[in-house]
Amino acid sequence: MEHLRMNGAYWGLTALDIMGRLGDMKVDEIVPWILMCQDECGGFGGNHQHDPHILYTLSAVQILALFDRLDAVDADKIANYIAGLQNEDGSFSGDGWGEIDTRFSYCAICCLSLLKRLDRIDLEKACNFVANCKNFDGGFGCVPGGESHAGQIFCCVGALAIGGALHHVDRDLLGWWLAERQVKAGGLNGRPEKLPDVCYSWWVLASLVMMDRMHWIDKKSLEQFILDCQDPEAGGISDRPDDAVDVFHTFFGIAGLSLLGYPGLQAIDPAYALPVTVVDRIFYGQKK
Amino acid sequence: MAEEEDSWQHGVRLVLHLDSILEGDPYIDEIGFVHPSQLESLHSIGNFALEHKKPFFMKTRRKAEGQGEADDTGQYAEDCSQRNEGHEVEAEPPGINPDQSYLNNVQGKFIDFSYDKSAFWCAHHKLAIAVSALAPIYEVARKEFLANRKAHAQCLTGTRNSVMSPSSLSFQLLEGGLCNRSANSRANGNGNVQFQGQNGAVHALLQKNLMLYSRVLVIVNCDFASAWNARKRVLSRMEATEEFLLAELRLARMVLAYGPKSEESWAYRRWIIDRMISAGLPWNTVGSVLEGDSMLVEAIAGRSRMNYRAWRHRYWLVSRMSLQQVASELQNTKRLAQLHVADNCCFHYRRCLLLGILQAGLMPNEKNVNSPTLVASRAQAGLSAALIVNPQLLTTLWKDELSWNRDLIKQFFGFEALWLHRRFLIWGFGHNSKIFKSASLPVVLNNNGSTTPLSEGGGIFSKSSSHC
């Protein structure tokens, strides 16, 4: 799965930082590797010699933010790359090949916000496009008319939160839909009738936090579900109990536990999906 | 005499064999990754007669303990959206899709040249690859792909001072005749681009190699986006023939057979279809492809339940369909929805279709409507006056859907998908009073015993500011 190594690095490193163990990693090896993944157009690929894409561009900037090394990149170049991906209707393509998805809107807004260059895009149009992806049930899909999906909802709510346009969200209606994702076992699914999955502990929960509706789910049983997904031998977390572990679910499980206030974990920002200390450092200049 | 092949040479040989198999049978419609012991079983069955509807192979669920070697764990991304849910993968009946229609006339075919039987099995347009072969194939294909891509880019920009020789492997492919290619093989577009002299020949070679290695790469790693992009780059530079584009759709279909959640593969299909439209291919062809893709999603969704990426593709198709096709889809998917009352994707698709028809109803007199759900090509499809939606027809459609939904709820009480669908239908009445007002609508019983048509004061959904 080397084509998405940049994402994997973000998941692993952020999880480590939440657990207070980022210092175990060698920043002097990681930062040069990230820079090697940058294309001449300014965007980042999933790995060395892979085509640039907005998904990996966000992950790259997030990792650099973790290490307080945003100075290592030319922020204007990245901002120009992202701005070039915005379409007439405010949406964002993932790369030059044109696929549109609200995930890319989130990547664009989140990344530019971290680089303090949100003014490079038409933010109002971007938020209006996201608002157009709202469905009758209050949820959001990947494109206008797309089925409501917790992952897409996180991206849309996050984009609107960072973009200062949360008024587009019907908090009660969407909060209700999100609260209905909790199943009897305590876990959360991503859509009606689906099995619970640990990654939705993040996407659903972070959305609820941003909308100030986290108290609409049973936190205790969700916490127990996440803990049940940890493999006591391998150490990692899987999508549901007794399945194989992977870094993706480990990160989202840790992130979900952090939102729930599990002791020993750093607080995570629900919109930027980075430790609060990292976000504060960027916007308020506080040292870690 | 037989010495240990070094791993690179082993990988080279496997890549050559895989390419030969794909060239030898361009109509392979299913690929599977199997344990070497399963491969042995396939080879040992003489006169293999595979019924198309039977499962080709079984994918095993990923297990935390006692994981069998048969698990093709190398195929799954860490993103859980890529995970297979452990269902069997079945071969579809052939010939139901335009990019498969040739199968009606193609007899069961065996590859008649020698290939590494410890790594591959191919018959009846099915291809099995041993999981142990994947890593060496990937290593070689990746390295060669990157080298050729770099050389190709340099060739295009004219930044090379001399002809940089591609790797020795690439030259073997062109000169050594190691691949089972005939002069009349499927159209590859090379003849459509004219290049001068020596540089032209090198360019053609590099382009051919890019298509070769990118194909191997996407088969082994369906989300290797750079490989799909390289194919788009090559296709963008050549004349888009129908035959060639259909062949690309076959490649994506092959990959989706084992990777039904591969977003890159679905996105590739969308790109190819848009290429067909922009190239001005006949509407009949495009319409057939759209219909075929809709059926492909249905077939895949049958074995990969509530596959978000597959269904997302299906409602993308709606934006390219003619109104007639949309109405036909609504009719055709009713039975499917009834069989899968817990499947929210299915009902969401119906909502997309209903909204598509509703939007047409809101703009009845415009043929060349430029809206999210209608494209100019619909005018080419010949919208007739009969298809322009009138409010009464739309209301009947909506009421029928509501009544059908009520019957399903009575029969299958408690399924969230059904209730969500009902909420949508009632919301639809409330938010489109302009089009529904002249019709007789369902009513709401008020506390004082009076009734209010649903189109007025949309009730609990009135706060929602979303629009159709």
Side-chain angles (χ1 to χ4, degrees):
Chain A
M1 293 299 114
E2 54 114 352
H3 63 277
L4 48 67
R5 196 173 185 208
M6 190 64 76
N7 285 349
Y10 158 72
W11 299 325
L13 293 168
T14 311
L16 281 172
D17 202 13
I18 295 172
M19 295 185 287
R21 296 288 293 271
L22 190 64
D24 292 3
M25 303 307 294
K26 296 177 186 158
V27 56
D28 294 331
E29 287 178 10
I30 295 172
V31 172
W33 171 78
I34 292 175
L35 296 177
M36 264 172 41
C37 297
Q38 188 173 26
D39 185 84
E40 57 190 18
C41 69
F44 289 78
N47 205 338
H48 191 216
Q49 294 182 295
H50 280 253
D51 287 355
H53 195 283
I54 206 172
L55 290 170
Y56 307 117
T57 304
L58 172 63
S59 289
V61 168
Q62 284 172 314
I63 296 169
L64 291 171
L66 283 178
F67 287 120
D68 196 13
R69 289 302 315 277
L70 284 172
D71 58 306
V73 284
D74 180 346
D76 287 321
K77 199 168 180 192
I78 299 175
N80 288 341
Y81 168 72
I82 293 175
L85 294 173
Q86 186 169 30
N87 302 302
E88 261 309 303
D89 61 358
S91 67
F92 283 86
S93 298
D95 59 15
W97 296 106
E99 270 287 301
I100 290 171
D101 193 310
T102 45
R103 289 180 294 152
F104 308 151
S105 299
Y106 169 74
C107 290
I109 292 174
C110 182
C111 191
L112 287 173
S113 177
L114 289 171
L115 295 173
K116 299 188 192 170
R117 280 157 173 80
L118 259 182
D119 58 332
R120 300 299 166 89
I121 56 166
D122 189 331
L123 186 60
E124 192 183 348
K125 259 189 173 175
C127 292
N128 286 342
F129 172 79
V130 170
N132 282 343
C133 296
K134 190 164 56 170
N135 295 315
F136 75 98
D137 53 14
F140 295 85
C142 51
V143 289
E147 186 188 353
S148 296
H149 179 293
Q152 309 290 154
I153 286 170
F154 164 77
C155 291
C156 291
V157 174
L160 293 174
I162 297 172
L166 259 183
H167 59 276
H168 286 297
V169 176
D170 185 330
R171 298 182 193 218
D172 288 343
L173 187 61
L174 178 53
W176 180 15
W177 188 93
L178 287 169
E180 284 181 331
R181 296 307 109 233
Q182 187 160 35
V183 301
K184 275 193 186 146
L188 303 173
N189 63 27
R191 284 179 287 155
E193 307 282 1
K194 292 278 281 185
L195 293 174
D197 187 318
V198 151
C199 63
Y200 294 111
S201 309
W202 168 257
W203 288 322
V204 172
L205 205 54
S207 304
L208 285 170
V209 170
M210 285 188 274
M211 294 174 356
D212 194 26
R213 298 284 184 276
M214 190 166 82
H215 52 286
W216 283 19
I217 60 151
D218 181 341
K219 296 198 274 186
K220 238 352 185 187
S221 60
L222 174 61
E223 183 181 293
Q224 193 53 53
F225 175 82
I226 300 174
L227 293 173
D228 286 344
C229 293
Q230 185 180 20
D231 181 339
E233 286 179 21
I237 297 177
S238 59
D239 59 348
R240 56 189 72 92
D242 300 329
D243 273 358
V245 303
D246 58 58
V247 67
F248 174 86
H249 290 97
T250 302
F251 165 61
F252 288 115
I254 296 287
L257 286 172
S258 168
L259 282 180
L260 291 169
Y262 192 81
L265 298 178
Q266 292 233 28
I268 187 168
D269 184 289
Y272 291 97
L274 287 169
V276 168
T277 48
V278 171
V279 176
D280 284 348
R281 185 173 63 218
I282 292 172
F283 292 107
Y284 308 116
Q286 292 172 19
K287 292 280 179 218
K288 206 173 169 181
Chain B
M1 175 187 140
E3 292 175 354
E4 281 285 342
E5 220 176 5
D6 73 34
S7 65
W8 176 259
Q9 284 305 316
H10 175 59
V12 164
R13 190 169 54 77
L14 291 177
V15 166
L16 289 178
H17 285 192
L18 177 55
D19 182 64
S20 300
I21 292 171
L22 294 168
E23 286 295 311
D25 185 0
Y27 305 126
I28 291 171
D29 61 5
E30 194 182 339
I31 293 181
F33 304 108
V34 300
H35 188 266
S37 62
Q38 286 176 284
L39 209 61
E40 274 176 37
S41 311
L42 288 168
H43 280 298
S44 67
I45 300 171
N47 295 321
F48 196 88
L50 175 68
E51 287 178 40
H52 283 286
K53 287 187 180 174
K54 282 195 176 164
F56 172 42
F57 65 95
M58 178 85 71
K59 275 197 178 174
T60 55
R61 177 181 283 281
R62 185 192 281 223
K63 293 187 182 111
E65 298 170 359
Q67 210 165 17
E69 286 174 20
D71 277 336
D72 46 349
T73 53
Q75 305 320 305
Y76 295 105
E78 289 168 342
D79 180 345
C80 67
S81 65
Q82 300 284 344
R83 283 178 187 244
N84 181 284
E85 290 172 0
H87 296 149
E88 292 177 2
V89 176
E90 291 186 11
E92 298 165 16
I96 58 171
N97 287 286
D99 55 325
Q100 301 291 82
S101 58
Y102 48 83
L103 284 176
N104 284 326
N105 300 321
V106 173
Q107 299 300 315
K109 185 178 173 182
F110 287 88
I111 297 292
D112 55 9
F113 54 84
S114 165
Y115 60 81
D116 187 336
K117 290 189 164 58
S118 68
F120 307 106
W121 171 89
C122 184
H124 293 277
H125 314 299
K126 316 277 168 220
L127 170 62
I129 305 176
V131 291
S132 50
L134 294 174
I137 289 174
Y138 185 77
E139 278 309 307
V140 169
R142 181 182 178 276
K143 190 167 178 186
E144 290 295 324
F145 167 75
L146 292 173
N148 277 278
R149 187 180 67 173
K150 185 175 178 183
H152 185 247
Q154 288 175 333
C155 191
L156 284 176
T157 57
T159 55
R160 290 169 22 182
N161 293 328
S162 58
V163 173
M164 183 181 104
S165 66
S167 72
S168 58
L169 170 64
S170 308
F171 270 129
Q172 277 178 51
L173 290 168
L174 185 66
E175 297 172 359
L178 293 175
C179 296
N180 188 16
R181 286 179 190 168
S182 68
N184 297 321
S185 62
R186 64 181 175 91
N188 56 20
N190 276 349
N192 293 318
V193 184
Q194 300 302 318
F195 291 96
Q196 302 297 324
Q198 186 184 32
N199 238 12
V202 171
H203 181 277
L205 165 64
L206 292 172
Q207 191 161 278
K208 190 175 273 200
N209 287 344
L210 266 183
M211 295 302 268
L212 188 168
Y213 294 119
S214 61
R215 181 169 64 175
V216 170
L217 274 176
V218 300
I219 283 172
V220 171
N221 180 357
C222 53
D223 282 319
F224 198 112
S226 304
W228 289 115
N229 291 345
R231 298 186 83 78
K232 291 176 203 167
R233 236 172 254 123
V234 169
L235 289 173
S236 297
R237 298 179 164 277
M238 59 177 52
E239 185 190 333
T241 64
E242 182 177 322
E243 188 187 345
F244 194 64
L245 293 175
L246 286 178
E248 291 300 303
L249 286 179
R250 280 199 294 280
L251 174 60
R253 158 189 289 269
M254 222 193 289
V255 169
L256 285 166
Y258 81 79
K261 297 185 179 179
S262 165
E263 175 63 7
E264 293 298 332
S265 309
W266 288 114
Y268 193 65
R269 285 190 88 85
R270 289 192 280 277
W271 190 86
I272 293 288
I273 290 172
D274 272 348
R275 187 94 171 90
M276 284 179 163
I277 294 173
S278 65
L281 256 56
W283 180 248
N284 277 347
T285 305
V286 176
S288 293
V289 168
L290 293 175
E291 193 185 322
D293 260 48
S294 193
M295 293 170 80
L296 173 66
V297 170
E298 192 161 313
I300 284 179
R303 53 191 192 239
S304 173
R305 208 175 140 256
M306 293 191 75
N307 181 331
Y308 191 78
R309 295 292 154 199
W311 282 102
R312 175 253 160 95
H313 183 73
R314 200 170 188 183
Y315 54 74
W316 176 87
L317 296 170
V318 174
S319 66
R320 269 74 178 154
M321 285 180 182
S322 67
L323 197 51
Q324 191 170 19
Q325 275 184 307
V326 172
S328 168
E329 283 283 302
L330 193 63
Q331 186 56 36
N332 295 341
T333 53
K334 202 164 182 177
R335 187 176 161 273
L336 177 75
Q338 261 173 229
L339 289 174
H340 301 284
V341 290
D343 193 327
N344 195 52
C345 287
C346 208
F347 285 97
H348 178 81
Y349 182 58
R350 290 186 73 74
R351 295 196 275 276
C352 291
L353 295 168
L354 286 167
L355 284 174
I357 295 174
L358 182 68
Q359 273 207 310
L362 289 169
M363 297 170 284
N365 294 320
E366 297 181 43
K367 274 197 173 179
N368 289 324
V369 177
N370 187 18
S371 80
T373 56
L374 292 172
V375 293
S377 58
R378 283 186 174 173
Q380 296 169 25
L383 276 175
S384 68
L387 292 174
I388 304 295
V389 183
N390 70 61
Q392 195 57 49
L393 198 64
L394 192 60
T395 307
T396 305
L397 200 63
W398 218 266
K399 283 170 76 174
D400 284 349
E401 188 83 2
L402 202 56
S403 147
W404 172 66
N405 174 262
R406 180 199 58 209
D407 293 341
L408 285 176
I409 286 176
K410 280 183 179 173
Q411 196 178 353
F412 303 102
F413 194 77
F415 281 95
E416 200 177 348
L418 294 176
W419 285 102
L420 263 178
H421 197 56
R422 191 163 192 81
R423 282 169 60 186
F424 163 79
L425 292 169
I426 295 173
W427 168 90
F429 273 128
H431 276 77
N432 296 284
S433 50
K434 190 167 70 171
I435 198 163
F436 288 126
K437 71 177 179 189
S438 58
S440 82
L441 296 168
V443 295
V444 171
L445 185 65
N446 299 322
N447 287 338
N448 62 8
S450 65
T451 57
T452 310
L454 263 178
S455 63
E456 295 170 24
I460 59 172
F461 304 113
S462 59
K463 276 202 289 186
S464 173
S465 61
S466 49
H467 56 83
C468 60

